[in-house]
């Protein structure tokens, strides 16, 4: 009976990997999603211009974490687009290559 319980538990955790320090669990099928082992909270992780940005998704539910991860990634990509536009001195009304207006993205980031 013990072997059956062990097999079931290991098959559930097949797509999970622990970090070297054992504090973070990552998932091979959902890149950029981490889970804190101690608190069971989910986090979004992305690398932008060489810096790692990790932000709490404020949930312990898998399905909610996947939805909030998409929002987190979108916000980070929009913030990067704004930073690139400002670095190139693009006027606020001009459209970026991604189809975003700098003034709209800035307002969305403030809200």
């Amino acid at each position: 009976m013990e072997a059956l319980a062990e097999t079931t538990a290991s098959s559930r955790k097949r797509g999970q990997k622990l970090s070297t320090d054992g504090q973070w669990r990552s998932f091979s099928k959902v890149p950029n999603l981490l889970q804190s082992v101690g608190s069971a909270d989910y986090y979004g992780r992305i690398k932008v211009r060489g810096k790692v940005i990790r932000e709490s998704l404020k949930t312990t539910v898998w399905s909610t974490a996947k939805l909030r991860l998409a929002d987190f990634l979108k916000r980070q990509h929009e913030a990067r687009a704004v930073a690139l536009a400002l670095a190139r001195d693009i006027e606020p009304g001009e459209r970026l290559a991604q189809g975003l207006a700098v003034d709209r993205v800035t307002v969305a980031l403030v809200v």
Side-chain angles (χ1 to χ4, degrees):
M1 198 65 158
E2 252 180 71
L4 180 61
E6 186 177 320
T7 306
T8 306
S10 66
S11 64
R12 265 190 315 199
K13 297 184 179 193
R14 182 175 293 150
Q16 302 175 3
K17 299 178 185 173
L18 284 178
S19 63
T20 55
D21 62 2
Q23 293 185 358
W24 298 100
R25 182 178 296 129
S26 63
F27 306 92
S28 57
K29 293 194 176 205
V30 184
N32 303 320
L33 183 65
L34 297 174
Q35 184 181 28
S36 172
V37 173
S39 66
D41 287 335
Y42 286 96
Y43 289 80
R45 179 189 181 274
I46 189 169
K47 198 173 204 178
V48 177
R49 300 182 76 190
K51 294 176 87 175
V52 175
I53 300 171
R54 184 170 43 214
E55 183 178 305
S56 174
L57 301 176
K58 297 178 182 159
T59 185
T60 57
V61 180
W62 169 259
S63 57
T64 306
K66 288 195 323 185
L67 293 172
R68 290 183 183 174
L69 177 66
D71 295 336
F72 165 74
L73 294 173
K74 183 178 177 183
R75 275 195 323 271
Q76 295 303 320
H77 287 297
E78 288 174 350
R80 182 170 186 255
V82 168
L84 289 173
L86 294 175
R88 294 182 185 146
D89 292 325
I90 293 177
E91 293 298 319
E94 289 184 40
R95 301 289 274 172
L96 299 175
Q98 293 85 6
L100 301 171
V102 175
D103 55 348
R104 289 184 184 169
V105 174
T106 305
V107 169
L109 291 174
V110 171
V111 174

